[in-house]
Amino acid sequence: MPTLYWLLVAVLLITVLWMSWRYVSLRRRIDSYTHTLRRAGESDKPGLNLPTDIKDIETLSNAVHNLAETYDQRLSALEAERARLAAILDRMTDGVLIVDATGSIQMANPGAKKLFGEGLIGRSVIVALRHHQLVETWRKAQQTGEIQSESVELPSTRKFLQITAIPGQDTGGALLMVQDLTRLRRLETVRRDFISNVSHELRTPLASLKALAETLSDGALDDPPAARRFLARMQTEVDALTQMSTELLELSRIESGQVPLQLKPISPAQLLQSAADRMKTQAERAGLDLQAECCPDLPAIPADASRLEQVLVNLIHNAVKFTPPGGEIRLFAKLDGKYVRFDVSDTGAGIDPDDLPRIFERFYKADRARTKGGGTGLGLSIARHIVEAHGGKIWVESELEKGSTFYFTIPIF
């Protein structure tokens, strides 16, 4: 009996020691596993290198490992989506701002920085936008929970912006998209002015033709001298309409690139003298002194001689038209870096400063040009397109009652 008793005590003691050892060993494994999980959780890199064969907790280890793999896959997909979104936002010309519920900017793409400046992140949307209508659009979107849109012209920069505020679903924040419509607004203004100008140019000859036709119908046909005089005036008006349609068609072809340039080496002095010779008789009839000055050793330029001569003739013709008798017109060419610069200068009426920015637009005429009559308002626009097709640029400097100087440059070889 005592032997059995001590045997049971020994077995019980061994069992307790074995269980204690198992407990300590398992606790050590669990602590190590917990430490690995904690380190993985604190890391910002995807991928958990967890063991899957921990004795006694294989099921738990495998479940956690599967969960980690699923997390990694979703995190990788989220990162890829974020990278795609960032690439799209970076390439957008429109400004995009993400604003939280407090009005603090959390994200701004390059388009927004171009419109409102650098350092937008963390700033208040009120301070960043600097315009009450833009801010009010954001506030209204927050209050109503609906998309709001507004168009605003900024007085300081003369930019025309359109803002669209899209409220967040649950965050209380908003996404603001700002489009710069300044160029479109300017093009719309040019389009309206073009329609107005072409209507004005057509109205005068058409009204004149109608009046002449009615006069002939009312009995002028019975008076041969008067009939011939009216028919001659009708022919003049028809010629003006024909010139307008021809120049408009030519301008359209030049703008669309349907008129290829025949580039050949040409001497600037020869080009300048040829244009002066063509317009010398007209200048003399107007009582003007027309002179061409050019260094004979200027380098040749690659040019379509007939087209550039057309530009010079057009500029000289305008100078003759707006210079009173006794005035002077000077043609000049000089080397200007990698370009040859041509000047057409007169001592005429000059151009109003308000008209200078638009002088090369189609059908645009300054008030002085309208009162002078004649012309279609297309010549300077055609000249600009021809010069730009040669790789140069054209501009004008003028002062009222002191004359004007038109410049254009053509690159050398």
Side-chain angles (χ1 to χ4, degrees):
M1 186 69 179
T3 303
L4 180 60
Y5 172 78
W6 287 110
L7 180 62
L8 289 174
V9 171
V11 170
L12 181 60
L13 182 60
I14 292 172
T15 302
V16 170
L17 290 174
W18 181 81
M19 290 183 66
S20 298
W21 176 81
R22 290 280 295 173
Y23 171 77
V24 172
S25 177
L26 181 60
R27 181 59 182 266
R28 188 181 298 114
R29 292 189 182 98
I30 292 175
D31 287 344
S32 176
Y33 196 79
T34 302
H35 181 65
T36 303
L37 283 174
R38 185 179 293 111
R39 283 190 303 158
E42 293 172 353
S43 174
D44 58 355
K45 297 180 180 179
L48 299 177
N49 188 19
L50 297 174
T52 59
D53 57 350
I54 298 179
K55 192 176 181 180
D56 300 319
I57 58 170
E58 291 90 344
T59 303
L60 175 61
S61 176
N62 290 333
V64 173
H65 189 272
N66 292 335
L67 179 63
E69 285 187 344
T70 303
Y71 166 79
D72 288 344
Q73 292 173 1
R74 292 181 177 178
L75 182 60
S76 297
L78 183 62
E79 287 293 329
E81 190 67 27
R82 187 195 65 80
R84 284 195 293 269
L85 178 60
I88 292 172
L89 291 176
D90 286 345
R91 286 165 175 77
M92 285 182 63
T93 56
D94 298 336
V96 178
L97 299 170
I98 294 180
V99 185
D100 64 15
T102 65
S104 177
I105 297 175
Q106 303 299 310
M107 193 281 294
N109 74 333
K113 295 176 183 178
K114 184 177 180 181
L115 290 173
F116 302 110
E118 297 289 339
L120 295 175
I121 306 299
R123 295 176 64 185
S124 167
V125 67
I126 299 175
V127 176
L129 297 185
R130 302 189 300 273
H131 195 281
H132 68 93
Q133 285 181 268
L134 299 178
V135 175
E136 187 61 30
T137 303
W138 162 68
R139 284 178 172 165
K140 192 172 181 181
Q142 272 196 318
Q143 294 169 358
T144 63
E146 299 177 352
I147 298 176
Q148 303 293 326
S149 183
E150 185 68 48
S151 297
V152 177
E153 185 174 7
L154 303 182
S156 57
T157 60
R158 307 301 298 174
K159 287 185 177 180
F160 190 79
L161 305 180
Q162 183 179 56
I163 182 172
T164 302
I166 305 173
Q169 295 295 327
D170 303 313
T171 62
L175 183 146
L176 307 181
M177 179 177 293
V178 185
Q179 295 176 289
D180 188 353
L181 303 180
T182 306
R183 183 172 180 273
L184 293 178
R185 185 70 174 267
R186 187 179 296 115
L187 290 175
E188 179 64 20
T189 301
V190 171
R191 185 190 66 83
R192 287 198 305 266
D193 290 346
F194 170 77
I195 294 175
S196 175
N197 283 317
V198 72
S199 299
H200 177 89
E201 295 301 325
L202 289 173
R203 186 183 302 116
T204 301
L206 290 177
S208 179
L209 285 172
K210 182 179 180 181
L212 291 169
E214 289 176 349
T215 303
L216 290 173
S217 299
D218 291 341
L221 281 174
D222 298 330
D223 184 353
R228 285 192 295 271
R229 188 169 64 255
F230 288 144
L231 288 174
R233 290 178 58 187
M234 291 177 70
Q235 182 65 44
T236 300
E237 299 297 345
V238 170
D239 289 343
L241 289 173
T242 302
Q243 180 187 1
M244 183 186 303
S245 62
T246 300
E247 290 186 351
L248 188 58
L249 177 60
E250 180 181 14
L251 180 59
S252 176
R253 292 175 61 199
I254 292 174
E255 289 180 336
S256 61
Q258 297 180 11
V259 183
L261 299 177
Q262 305 296 324
L263 299 180
K264 296 180 180 179
I266 184 172
S267 165
Q270 179 183 347
L271 185 65
L272 211 62
Q273 192 59 51
S274 177
D277 291 341
R278 284 182 57 182
M279 296 299 296
K280 198 167 189 65
T281 301
Q282 184 174 340
E284 290 175 349
R285 289 176 180 172
L288 304 174
D289 179 28
L290 173 61
Q291 298 292 333
E293 302 176 16
C294 181
C295 298
D297 56 349
L298 283 178
I301 55 175
D304 187 321
S306 62
R307 289 293 179 180
L308 280 191
E309 187 171 324
Q310 179 183 0
V311 172
L312 287 167
V313 167
N314 180 277
L315 297 178
I316 298 170
H317 177 77
N318 286 344
V320 170
K321 185 189 301 184
F322 297 107
T323 302
E328 298 179 351
I329 300 175
R330 292 288 180 266
L331 313 182
F332 188 71
K334 62 175 289 187
L335 189 62
D336 187 5
K338 296 182 179 180
Y339 297 84
V340 172
R341 192 188 78 190
F342 294 87
D343 305 356
V344 178
S345 179
D346 65 60
T347 58
I351 303 170
D352 192 284
D354 294 336
D355 294 321
L356 287 177
R358 303 188 58 189
I359 203 70
F360 294 101
E361 291 178 13
R362 289 179 297 179
F363 281 110
Y364 186 81
K365 285 187 177 183
D367 290 339
R368 289 175 178 269
R370 293 193 186 283
T371 57
K372 283 280 185 177
T376 61
L378 293 171
L380 289 178
S381 183
I382 292 175
R384 176 172 64 87
H385 281 86
I386 292 175
V387 169
E388 291 177 353
H390 280 80
K393 65 177 183 178
I394 186 170
W395 69 99
V396 60
E397 295 177 359
S398 182
E399 189 174 350
L400 286 177
E401 308 304 336
K402 292 187 178 181
S404 306
T405 301
F406 283 83
Y407 306 91
F408 68 90
T409 57
I410 301 296
I412 60 178
F413 283 100

